Amino acid sequence: MTQTRNRIVATLAWWAWMPVGAWLVWAVLHFVFGGTGTWEQWWRLTVVRSWWLPGGDLGHPTALFWLWLAVGLVGTAFILGGVLDDSYVDSPPGQGPATVIAVIAGLAGVIVLVYPLPVALWDNDKDAGRYYNSGTVFHDTKGVPPPSSLGHLLDGARPGGPGCDARGRHDVASCVRHDQLEGIRSFEGRTSSFASAIAMMEHAASPAPQVDAWEPSITYFYDSVPGRAGVWTAVLDGSKTATPAYGIATWDGRTNSVRVGCRFNVGKDNRFDRAFSGQTGNSLRNLLAEKYPDLSYEDTDVWGYCKGERPVIVVAVTRQKAIGSRTVDTAAGVLILEGGARGIAHRHVRDVKAGELPGPVYPDSLVEKQGRATSWAAGRERKDRASFGFKASTDDVQAGNTSEYLLRGPDRRLYFVTPLSPNDSKSQAFIAYAVTAADSVASGRLNRMDVYVLPDGDRRVANLNTLVSQATNAVRSTDPTFLNTNGKLEEFTPLGGDMWRVFGVRRGITEFYVDLSAVGRTAPKTVSVSGTPPAERPKTTACAKTPQQMNQQELADCMAALATEVRNRKPGT
């Protein structure tokens, strides 16, 4: 009897060690390190819901849960196997209740290993692709042969239902529309580059010790008048244990001066006593995790603006959704953070309509996940063997800013726009564009991502190398010295059709931008941004020399003088 009791205790311990260990982690985080909301949130969302039980219940067990169950059952079989319950003295050897339980547990463990565990593992990544593609629509051009990049998706496609002209035959949601690609005809470009904004904000925005412009929060705001220069903003974040967020920095994109647009902690009802980069009691991340344990965000989903004289910080958030044997992320609205009489005033807004807030309210991080998941649209085989799908550019001229450009459309709405090249290819040709509404959000739903795929040989297919060459020639014709004096061309952004914009940046300031046609349909147009024309160089006498006799600086001076003379002369003179 004692041996049987010991085996039962061992069996209970065998089942309990993993849940008890997880609970002990939570207990330590909760009771020993009180106030560490981010750690508790990590335990809740990652350990429990992502690794074990999506949704917090047994409705969507993960592969790890099935493995734990199988190991528990097999271990039970080994622990109880061959043990006779002494109270059943009339039972033949090997036929006592403990033996029966051991056999049942062993068979159940084998069944779990054979069926639910492989299914959970096999479909795990596809389930994410299915969910994110449920909000994606592919577009090709009606009346012309479909682009080769959509061949695998359209192969064997069946007629679509409402809103779709065709659907792929694969078990991943894939909607295709045949239209005229109206959604990429026109975008309003920014008037200065993101790289410039980073440089200026980092070096000129800090007004106080332990306060810096927070790079992930840098956001462009369009002017109410189309074509007029907008402004960049950044959250002036505090750090360490005592310095809270300071306010919102703004930069007009033209000068080398960054100003504080509005401040926290000015007035009785404008206190703000935490910072994203703060520690312990100064950590804003801990506060948000404690108040909103089911909501999460990436740093790039945070931005701020001045509402009159008051700073406002907006956080586009996501929440987990259980599907299959895993979790996915879905939109969950925004958090609005303002100064209050007793500290931070915060509220969760589940749904935001276009125009209600001046910046992006749909998470940029969620758009990125939707974009990556398009590789699943033609099924697992085409994803793995044929690399179906698209990718953002990786060229250095994009200055690290290759995707999710925040642009304004002709309807005055904000969109995340990403030029795309063929997946798993060295090509830098932009053959498609992903467009997602950025200024509206509905909790629990994905914003639709429209992937517009150009026909093969279409004039709007832009080659990044060709664009660089055209822009370089345009700059040299207007300012021959620019590229030789630390000037750089950065960040090609789409304007719609075959038009693109690239920025001329020197010493961190966007001096001009060039609008150009990918096919040379129109002459490049250079627009000054800084408003500070370069200082006149003294007249040179070195131009009397032959080019072979001039040094590099004299040659550059002569070229600049010649270009200036050509620009200043009247036609016919």
Side-chain angles (χ1 to χ4, degrees):
M1 191 71 177
T2 301
Q3 185 182 20
T4 300
R5 185 168 54 250
N6 292 339
R7 295 297 180 91
I8 292 174
V9 171
T11 301
L12 293 176
W14 178 252
W15 279 97
W17 74 268
M18 191 176 291
V20 169
W23 182 87
L24 286 175
V25 171
W26 174 85
V28 170
L29 295 174
H30 184 77
F31 295 109
V32 179
F33 300 101
T36 55
T38 53
W39 284 103
E40 283 197 47
Q41 187 182 57
W42 172 82
W43 181 89
R44 174 190 178 89
L45 298 183
T46 303
V47 176
V48 176
R49 295 193 174 182
S50 292
W51 294 354
W52 276 55
L53 298 173
D57 55 39
L58 290 172
H60 301 269
T62 66
L64 180 62
F65 174 85
W66 288 119
L67 180 61
W68 168 76
L69 182 64
V71 171
L73 290 169
V74 172
T76 299
F78 275 103
I79 294 172
L80 297 181
V83 178
L84 296 177
D85 192 329
D86 296 338
S87 62
Y88 293 88
V89 294
D90 293 334
S91 298
Q95 297 182 15
T99 302
V100 174
I101 295 173
V103 172
I104 293 174
L107 289 174
V110 172
I111 291 173
V112 170
L113 290 172
V114 169
Y115 179 66
L117 177 61
V119 170
L121 287 172
W122 177 251
D123 276 345
N124 189 273
D125 49 355
K126 185 190 286 188
D127 284 339
R130 286 169 174 155
Y131 175 72
Y132 292 124
N133 272 278
S134 67
T136 300
V137 177
F138 295 87
H139 300 254
D140 64 3
T141 304
K142 186 176 183 179
V144 302
S148 56
S149 57
L150 285 184
H152 293 304
L153 177 59
L154 294 174
D155 182 22
R158 59 188 184 275
C164 298
D165 296 314
R167 288 189 179 276
R169 61 180 176 83
H170 315 283
D171 58 352
V172 178
S174 53
C175 173
V176 182
R177 290 185 185 175
H178 308 308
D179 52 31
Q180 298 302 316
L181 310 187
E182 300 286 345
I184 56 171
R185 287 200 168 180
S186 176
F187 295 110
E188 183 180 349
R190 300 189 289 251
T191 55
S192 51
S193 75
F194 179 63
S196 289
I198 293 176
M200 293 306 302
M201 289 293 189
E202 285 185 344
H203 294 105
S206 178
Q210 295 185 358
V211 171
D212 284 296
W214 191 30
E215 180 182 326
S217 71
I218 297 176
T219 305
Y220 188 79
F221 291 85
Y222 286 87
D223 191 87
S224 58
V225 178
R228 185 182 293 176
V231 297
W232 293 91
T233 73
V235 174
L236 289 169
D237 196 35
S239 60
K240 298 187 178 179
T241 59
T243 307
Y246 189 87
I248 306 298
T250 65
W251 179 55
D252 60 11
R254 301 186 302 274
T255 65
N256 58 3
S257 174
V258 179
R259 70 183 188 90
V260 178
C262 48
R263 283 187 56 186
F264 289 116
N265 298 311
V266 176
K268 295 181 180 179
D269 63 342
N270 194 29
R271 290 188 56 208
F272 201 94
D273 54 6
R274 302 249 183 158
F276 284 98
S277 301
Q279 301 170 5
T280 60
N282 187 40
S283 173
L284 180 55
R285 298 180 190 274
N286 281 334
L287 174 67
L288 297 181
E290 290 167 2
K291 299 297 183 182
Y292 308 98
D294 290 332
L295 304 181
S296 56
Y297 59 91
E298 299 290 340
D299 290 353
T300 53
D301 299 327
V302 182
W303 54 276
Y305 73 104
C306 293
K307 188 176 181 180
E309 298 297 322
R310 296 178 63 86
V312 179
I313 296 176
V314 180
V315 185
V317 291
T318 63
R319 64 175 175 84
Q320 289 182 340
K321 182 176 182 177
I323 62 166
S325 298
R326 63 166 300 136
T327 60
V328 292
D329 291 325
T330 192
V334 297
L335 300 178
I336 307 292
L337 312 178
E338 300 180 81
R342 298 183 178 180
I344 300 170
H346 50 81
R347 55 194 172 98
H348 178 210
V349 180
R350 294 174 57 86
D351 303 325
V352 181
K353 295 181 180 179
E356 290 184 348
L357 288 172
V361 296
Y362 191 72
D364 183 13
S365 59
L366 194 52
V367 176
E368 185 179 355
K369 290 183 173 121
Q370 289 177 254
R372 288 200 304 264
T374 57
S375 61
W376 280 100
R380 183 186 298 275
E381 180 181 0
R382 302 302 186 184
K383 174 184 178 294
D384 294 343
R385 296 186 180 182
S387 297
F388 174 82
F390 310 91
K391 63 179 176 66
S393 167
T394 56
D395 198 280
D396 292 339
V397 74
Q398 295 300 73
N401 186 27
T402 61
S403 61
E404 288 92 57
Y405 299 113
L406 184 64
L407 305 177
R408 187 162 67 178
D411 55 0
R412 313 278 292 164
R413 294 191 58 185
L414 297 176
Y415 295 90
F416 288 119
V417 182
T418 302
L420 299 170
S421 300
N423 207 9
D424 196 18
S425 168
K426 295 180 181 179
S427 171
Q428 295 293 330
F430 296 123
I431 62 171
Y433 299 85
V435 180
T436 308
D439 58 1
S440 64
V441 66
S443 182
R445 297 179 58 187
L446 297 174
N447 280 7
R448 192 178 77 194
M449 171 177 282
D450 291 290
V451 180
Y452 298 95
V453 187
L454 298 173
D456 294 344
D458 190 277
R459 66 176 179 81
R460 291 167 292 181
V461 174
N463 183 297
L464 192 55
N465 293 331
T466 301
L467 291 175
V468 171
S469 178
Q470 291 182 15
T472 300
N473 292 336
V475 169
R476 284 176 175 166
S477 68
T478 57
D479 186 352
T481 65
F482 176 78
L483 297 174
N484 295 327
T485 55
N486 297 319
K488 295 186 294 183
L489 293 172
E490 293 180 345
E491 196 177 305
F492 282 88
T493 56
L495 299 179
D498 62 344
M499 297 301 296
W500 289 78
R501 176 169 294 178
V502 64
F503 301 94
V505 180
R506 181 160 46 187
R507 293 183 293 275
I509 295 181
T510 300
E511 296 188 2
F512 58 85
Y513 60 80
V514 182
D515 290 346
L516 66 160
S517 165
V519 294
R521 180 175 52 85
T522 60
K525 179 183 177 182
T526 302
V527 179
S528 176
V529 172
S530 63
T532 55
E536 285 191 21
R537 292 181 176 270
K539 291 184 178 180
T540 178
T541 59
C543 292
K545 301 178 182 179
T546 64
Q548 291 80 4
Q549 294 174 321
M550 298 182 197
N551 59 36
Q552 186 172 359
Q553 185 60 56
E554 290 174 336
L555 188 59
D557 288 341
C558 277
M559 292 175 64
L562 179 61
T564 301
E565 181 64 23
V566 170
R567 287 196 302 268
N568 292 338
R569 287 194 180 189
K570 296 180 180 180
T573 62

